Amino acid sequence: FFLEFSGQKVRDRGGTRKEADAMAVRAGGLGPRQVRQVGKASGFGTPYSPGRRQGRQDRRGPALCEGRGLQGPAPGPRVRPATIATTRAEPGGDGNPSDMDALLPAKWSLRGLNLGILALWFCFGVYAFKFSPNAAVVTDRTLLQAAINLGVDEDGNSINRIFLALFYVLGLLPVIYASLLLPSGKSGNGVPAWPFVSLSMFLGAFGLLPYFALWQPCARRRDVLGSQSKLTRFLESKANAAVVLASLAGLTAMVATASSSDWSGYLSLFGKSRFTHVSSLDFCVLTLMAPFWVYNDAEQRQWKRGDALLAAL
């Protein structure tokens, strides 16, 4: 609009390019260089020419001026400067509008996934504190105290071994997620992972799901693995991996050797105890979310040992 307005005024009185530049500056706050850049990007060529003779040749090509004043648009469709600037700003874009269109489905699918995780977090919280079974408040308190006391209550009796294994697994999952998120699970929008990992040590999935809902992939690999602190180096160490793996193997053996009475006792707790019920669902949510972060970590580290082994892990 500013270019057309300026050019029309100049054409009416047969002015020069310098006068048209000044008119554009007054009309729209554009500098002379910006006016010429917009004109080139939009396909108009130089928006005005000082030539006064019909058929005057522009230095870049054939005759573009008729008479004097504002030149007509070059043949072909007009392309808006905003479209060109947007497509060139995209990573890897070459100025073709189709590049931006190809990115839209992935962008919207990621946004839909984030909203779905946020909805899961909200629904899980409402169910856990409003609709989950709560017929054994005293049992919940006893289970928590006994689990902290290595599975023995105040009277010296052992609690259900399946619940005990579940309780300890929920203590290991934050360590596993810290090993996946802090080194290689950084978010492209700058949201830090460590506050959510810290909350997961006490809240489980309730602490991690908000980060999953806010997370966006990083555009460059070096932004993910570029800086390593002492904590991340320890989380990536073989010593940490060995401790976690040995602990998981022991807890898995505890559940595998459980008797039928242990399983019936656990199912009874699941139907009555809110602590057991919510802990079980928390374990399921964190377990189902883990494969994505395992694959994300493998991609950042350029895993080359095959997808079959990665799927098994």
Side-chain angles (χ1 to χ4, degrees):
F1 170 78
F2 295 134
L3 293 176
E4 296 286 350
F5 174 80
S6 305
Q8 183 64 39
K9 292 294 184 182
V10 172
R11 182 174 60 184
D12 291 343
R13 66 186 187 189
T16 63
R17 176 185 300 180
K18 184 176 180 180
E19 294 175 354
D21 285 348
M23 182 68 70
V25 171
R26 289 194 297 271
L30 300 178
R33 181 176 300 177
Q34 292 174 312
V35 171
R36 285 191 288 273
Q37 288 176 348
V38 171
K40 293 177 183 179
S42 60
F44 286 101
T46 306
Y48 24 72
S49 173
R52 295 171 179 258
R53 292 177 300 173
Q54 184 173 358
R56 171 145 181 149
Q57 295 281 336
D58 188 81
R59 288 183 298 176
R60 294 190 308 278
L64 295 177
C65 303
E66 284 187 29
R68 52 185 182 173
L70 182 69
Q71 69 175 31
R78 298 183 180 183
V79 182
R80 292 185 303 170
T83 304
I84 294 177
T86 303
T87 54
R88 288 180 179 175
E90 295 294 338
D94 55 359
N96 188 349
S98 61
D99 294 343
M100 183 179 178
D101 296 338
L103 295 175
L104 288 177
K107 176 183 177 181
W108 284 106
S109 62
L110 178 61
R111 182 173 298 178
L113 181 62
N114 291 346
L115 291 176
I117 295 175
L118 187 63
L120 172 64
W121 174 71
F122 177 77
C123 294
F124 187 25
V126 171
Y127 174 79
F129 295 101
K130 190 70 176 178
F131 299 104
S132 61
N134 190 25
V137 179
V138 178
T139 304
D140 287 348
R141 189 180 302 110
T142 302
L143 286 173
L144 178 59
Q145 293 175 351
I148 297 175
N149 197 31
L150 301 180
V152 180
D153 60 13
E154 296 177 350
D155 298 330
N157 299 321
S158 298
I159 61 174
N160 185 272
R161 62 187 303 168
I162 297 177
F163 169 80
L164 183 62
L166 174 67
F167 181 83
Y168 289 146
V169 164
L170 290 177
L172 284 175
L173 281 174
V175 180
I176 296 174
Y177 270 99
S179 303
L180 292 172
L181 297 180
L182 296 183
S184 61
K186 297 178 181 178
S187 179
N189 55 12
V191 177
W194 67 265
F196 302 93
V197 173
S198 301
L199 286 175
S200 70
M201 297 179 181
F202 306 97
L203 302 177
F206 295 106
L208 281 175
L209 285 177
Y211 179 72
F212 298 164
L214 297 172
W215 182 86
Q216 293 180 2
C218 287
R220 296 176 297 181
R221 180 173 173 268
R222 65 175 178 268
D223 293 340
V224 178
L225 300 174
S227 60
Q228 298 291 324
S229 63
K230 293 182 179 179
L231 176 60
T232 55
R233 285 197 294 268
F234 168 75
L235 293 172
E236 293 182 295
S237 65
K238 294 182 178 180
N240 177 58
V243 171
V244 172
L245 184 60
S247 301
L248 287 176
L251 295 174
T252 303
M254 181 186 299
V255 174
T257 57
S259 62
S260 58
S261 60
D262 292 327
W263 280 104
S264 60
Y266 166 75
L267 293 176
S268 176
L269 288 173
F270 182 82
K272 297 179 181 179
S273 168
R274 171 173 291 179
F275 186 36
T276 305
H277 191 91
V278 175
S279 297
S280 301
L281 297 180
D282 187 85
F283 167 76
C284 293
V285 171
L286 292 178
T287 302
L288 292 175
M289 293 287 178
F292 170 82
W293 297 106
V294 172
Y295 275 95
N296 177 72
D297 184 84
E299 182 180 358
Q300 298 297 335
R301 301 177 190 279
Q302 298 181 343
W303 173 275
K304 296 180 181 179
R305 299 183 183 180
D307 293 340
L309 179 58
L310 187 62
L313 293 174

PDB file of all heavy atoms in Angstrom, residues 2-3 38 108 125 131 142 177 200 227 262 264 282 300 313:
ATOM      1  N   PHE A   2       1.923   1.235   0.856  1.00  0.00           N
ATOM      2  CA  PHE A   2       2.798   2.394   0.920  1.00  0.00           C
ATOM      3  C   PHE A   2       3.529   2.594  -0.405  1.00  0.00           C
ATOM      4  O   PHE A   2       3.727   3.721  -0.856  1.00  0.00           O
ATOM      5  CB  PHE A   2       3.802   2.235   2.056  1.00  0.00           C
ATOM      6  CG  PHE A   2       3.156   2.207   3.401  1.00  0.00           C
ATOM      7  CD1 PHE A   2       3.511   1.259   4.347  1.00  0.00           C
ATOM      8  CD2 PHE A   2       2.176   3.142   3.737  1.00  0.00           C
ATOM      9  CE1 PHE A   2       2.898   1.229   5.576  1.00  0.00           C
ATOM     10  CE2 PHE A   2       1.568   3.109   4.970  1.00  0.00           C
ATOM     11  CZ  PHE A   2       1.921   2.160   5.898  1.00  0.00           C
ATOM     12  N   LEU A   3       3.943   1.475  -1.054  1.00  0.00           N
ATOM     13  CA  LEU A   3       4.627   1.588  -2.335  1.00  0.00           C
ATOM     14  C   LEU A   3       3.693   2.165  -3.401  1.00  0.00           C
ATOM     15  O   LEU A   3       4.074   3.047  -4.184  1.00  0.00           O
ATOM     16  CB  LEU A   3       5.151   0.222  -2.763  1.00  0.00           C
ATOM     17  CG  LEU A   3       6.263  -0.369  -1.903  1.00  0.00           C
ATOM     18  CD1 LEU A   3       6.604  -1.770  -2.396  1.00  0.00           C
ATOM     19  CD2 LEU A   3       7.493   0.503  -1.928  1.00  0.00           C
ATOM     20  N   VAL A  38      11.856  -4.577  -0.296  1.00  0.00           N
ATOM     21  CA  VAL A  38      10.496  -5.114  -0.388  1.00  0.00           C
ATOM     22  C   VAL A  38      10.046  -5.194  -1.828  1.00  0.00           C
ATOM     23  O   VAL A  38       9.397  -6.135  -2.275  1.00  0.00           O
ATOM     24  CB  VAL A  38       9.526  -4.261   0.455  1.00  0.00           C
ATOM     25  CG1 VAL A  38       8.091  -4.673   0.205  1.00  0.00           C
ATOM     26  CG2 VAL A  38       9.860  -4.396   1.926  1.00  0.00           C
ATOM     27  N   TRP A 108       1.178 -29.073  13.987  1.00  0.00           N
ATOM     28  CA  TRP A 108      -0.129 -29.245  14.602  1.00  0.00           C
ATOM     29  C   TRP A 108      -0.251 -30.588  15.302  1.00  0.00           C
ATOM     30  O   TRP A 108      -0.923 -30.697  16.329  1.00  0.00           O
ATOM     31  CB  TRP A 108      -1.211 -29.088  13.548  1.00  0.00           C
ATOM     32  CG  TRP A 108      -1.429 -27.661  13.168  1.00  0.00           C
ATOM     33  CD1 TRP A 108      -1.045 -27.040  12.027  1.00  0.00           C
ATOM     34  CD2 TRP A 108      -2.064 -26.653  13.965  1.00  0.00           C
ATOM     35  NE1 TRP A 108      -1.398 -25.715  12.048  1.00  0.00           N
ATOM     36  CE2 TRP A 108      -2.036 -25.448  13.209  1.00  0.00           C
ATOM     37  CE3 TRP A 108      -2.669 -26.649  15.211  1.00  0.00           C
ATOM     38  CZ2 TRP A 108      -2.579 -24.263  13.694  1.00  0.00           C
ATOM     39  CZ3 TRP A 108      -3.216 -25.470  15.686  1.00  0.00           C
ATOM     40  CH2 TRP A 108      -3.173 -24.300  14.925  1.00  0.00           C
ATOM     41  N   GLY A 125      -5.260 -36.544  37.624  1.00  0.00           N
ATOM     42  CA  GLY A 125      -5.314 -35.891  38.924  1.00  0.00           C
ATOM     43  C   GLY A 125      -6.721 -35.878  39.511  1.00  0.00           C
ATOM     44  O   GLY A 125      -6.916 -36.146  40.704  1.00  0.00           O
ATOM     45  N   PHE A 131     -12.089 -39.790  42.569  1.00  0.00           N
ATOM     46  CA  PHE A 131     -12.876 -40.978  42.250  1.00  0.00           C
ATOM     47  C   PHE A 131     -12.170 -42.299  42.564  1.00  0.00           C
ATOM     48  O   PHE A 131     -12.801 -43.349  42.454  1.00  0.00           O
ATOM     49  CB  PHE A 131     -13.257 -40.964  40.758  1.00  0.00           C
ATOM     50  CG  PHE A 131     -14.080 -39.778  40.368  1.00  0.00           C
ATOM     51  CD1 PHE A 131     -13.519 -38.723  39.672  1.00  0.00           C
ATOM     52  CD2 PHE A 131     -15.426 -39.702  40.705  1.00  0.00           C
ATOM     53  CE1 PHE A 131     -14.268 -37.628  39.302  1.00  0.00           C
ATOM     54  CE2 PHE A 131     -16.191 -38.602  40.350  1.00  0.00           C
ATOM     55  CZ  PHE A 131     -15.610 -37.562  39.654  1.00  0.00           C
ATOM     56  N   THR A 142      -0.335 -47.286  57.058  1.00  0.00           N
ATOM     57  CA  THR A 142       0.502 -48.413  57.476  1.00  0.00           C
ATOM     58  C   THR A 142       1.398 -48.879  56.345  1.00  0.00           C
ATOM     59  O   THR A 142       2.588 -49.190  56.558  1.00  0.00           O
ATOM     60  CB  THR A 142      -0.386 -49.578  57.951  1.00  0.00           C
ATOM     61  OG1 THR A 142      -1.226 -49.130  59.029  1.00  0.00           O
ATOM     62  CG2 THR A 142       0.469 -50.739  58.425  1.00  0.00           C
ATOM     63  N   TYR A 177      14.199 -41.585  34.472  1.00  0.00           N
ATOM     64  CA  TYR A 177      13.778 -40.425  33.686  1.00  0.00           C
ATOM     65  C   TYR A 177      14.798 -39.290  33.762  1.00  0.00           C
ATOM     66  O   TYR A 177      14.974 -38.540  32.791  1.00  0.00           O
ATOM     67  CB  TYR A 177      12.408 -39.947  34.147  1.00  0.00           C
ATOM     68  CG  TYR A 177      11.282 -40.614  33.410  1.00  0.00           C
ATOM     69  CD1 TYR A 177      10.592 -41.683  33.961  1.00  0.00           C
ATOM     70  CD2 TYR A 177      10.907 -40.185  32.136  1.00  0.00           C
ATOM     71  CE1 TYR A 177       9.558 -42.296  33.273  1.00  0.00           C
ATOM     72  CE2 TYR A 177       9.878 -40.789  31.446  1.00  0.00           C
ATOM     73  CZ  TYR A 177       9.209 -41.848  32.018  1.00  0.00           C
ATOM     74  OH  TYR A 177       8.193 -42.467  31.323  1.00  0.00           O
ATOM     75  N   SER A 200       9.008 -35.324  40.393  1.00  0.00           N
ATOM     76  CA  SER A 200       8.613 -36.718  40.163  1.00  0.00           C
ATOM     77  C   SER A 200       9.099 -37.648  41.266  1.00  0.00           C
ATOM     78  O   SER A 200       8.544 -38.732  41.446  1.00  0.00           O
ATOM     79  CB  SER A 200       9.153 -37.191  38.815  1.00  0.00           C
ATOM     80  OG  SER A 200      10.563 -37.323  38.847  1.00  0.00           O
ATOM     81  N   SER A 227      26.193 -29.154  26.482  1.00  0.00           N
ATOM     82  CA  SER A 227      26.744 -28.888  27.810  1.00  0.00           C
ATOM     83  C   SER A 227      26.395 -30.030  28.757  1.00  0.00           C
ATOM     84  O   SER A 227      25.255 -30.475  28.804  1.00  0.00           O
ATOM     85  CB  SER A 227      26.185 -27.568  28.356  1.00  0.00           C
ATOM     86  OG  SER A 227      24.790 -27.624  28.461  1.00  0.00           O
ATOM     87  N   ASP A 262      -0.022 -63.655  47.436  1.00  0.00           N
ATOM     88  CA  ASP A 262       0.502 -62.292  47.304  1.00  0.00           C
ATOM     89  C   ASP A 262      -0.268 -61.502  46.241  1.00  0.00           C
ATOM     90  O   ASP A 262      -0.581 -60.327  46.431  1.00  0.00           O
ATOM     91  CB  ASP A 262       1.994 -62.327  46.958  1.00  0.00           C
ATOM     92  CG  ASP A 262       2.849 -62.860  48.091  1.00  0.00           C
ATOM     93  OD1 ASP A 262       2.493 -62.621  49.262  1.00  0.00           O
ATOM     94  OD2 ASP A 262       3.861 -63.534  47.810  1.00  0.00           O
ATOM     95  N   SER A 264      -3.372 -62.123  45.169  1.00  0.00           N
ATOM     96  CA  SER A 264      -4.738 -61.857  45.624  1.00  0.00           C
ATOM     97  C   SER A 264      -4.756 -60.729  46.651  1.00  0.00           C
ATOM     98  O   SER A 264      -5.673 -59.888  46.661  1.00  0.00           O
ATOM     99  CB  SER A 264      -5.352 -63.124  46.214  1.00  0.00           C
ATOM    100  OG  SER A 264      -4.586 -63.581  47.327  1.00  0.00           O
ATOM    101  N   ASP A 282       0.088 -44.860  38.395  1.00  0.00           N
ATOM    102  CA  ASP A 282       1.263 -44.023  38.182  1.00  0.00           C
ATOM    103  C   ASP A 282       2.378 -44.822  37.510  1.00  0.00           C
ATOM    104  O   ASP A 282       3.041 -44.330  36.579  1.00  0.00           O
ATOM    105  CB  ASP A 282       1.725 -43.460  39.522  1.00  0.00           C
ATOM    106  CG  ASP A 282       2.839 -42.449  39.382  1.00  0.00           C
ATOM    107  OD1 ASP A 282       2.536 -41.270  39.148  1.00  0.00           O
ATOM    108  OD2 ASP A 282       4.014 -42.844  39.492  1.00  0.00           O
ATOM    109  N   GLN A 300      19.230 -38.783  19.559  1.00  0.00           N
ATOM    110  CA  GLN A 300      20.190 -37.720  19.839  1.00  0.00           C
ATOM    111  C   GLN A 300      21.616 -38.250  19.871  1.00  0.00           C
ATOM    112  O   GLN A 300      22.553 -37.547  19.496  1.00  0.00           O
ATOM    113  CB  GLN A 300      19.854 -37.043  21.172  1.00  0.00           C
ATOM    114  CG  GLN A 300      18.497 -36.365  21.210  1.00  0.00           C
ATOM    115  CD  GLN A 300      18.380 -35.233  20.216  1.00  0.00           C
ATOM    116  OE1 GLN A 300      19.370 -34.640  19.811  1.00  0.00           O
ATOM    117  NE2 GLN A 300      17.158 -34.935  19.808  1.00  0.00           N
ATOM    118  N   LEU A 313      15.190 -53.146  24.673  1.00  0.00           N
ATOM    119  CA  LEU A 313      15.573 -52.359  25.850  1.00  0.00           C
ATOM    120  C   LEU A 313      14.389 -51.526  26.354  1.00  0.00           C
ATOM    121  O   LEU A 313      14.200 -51.370  27.553  1.00  0.00           O
ATOM    122  CB  LEU A 313      16.757 -51.445  25.516  1.00  0.00           C
ATOM    123  CG  LEU A 313      18.082 -52.153  25.223  1.00  0.00           C
ATOM    124  CD1 LEU A 313      19.119 -51.143  24.779  1.00  0.00           C
ATOM    125  CD2 LEU A 313      18.563 -52.886  26.481  1.00  0.00           C
TER     126      LEU A 313
END
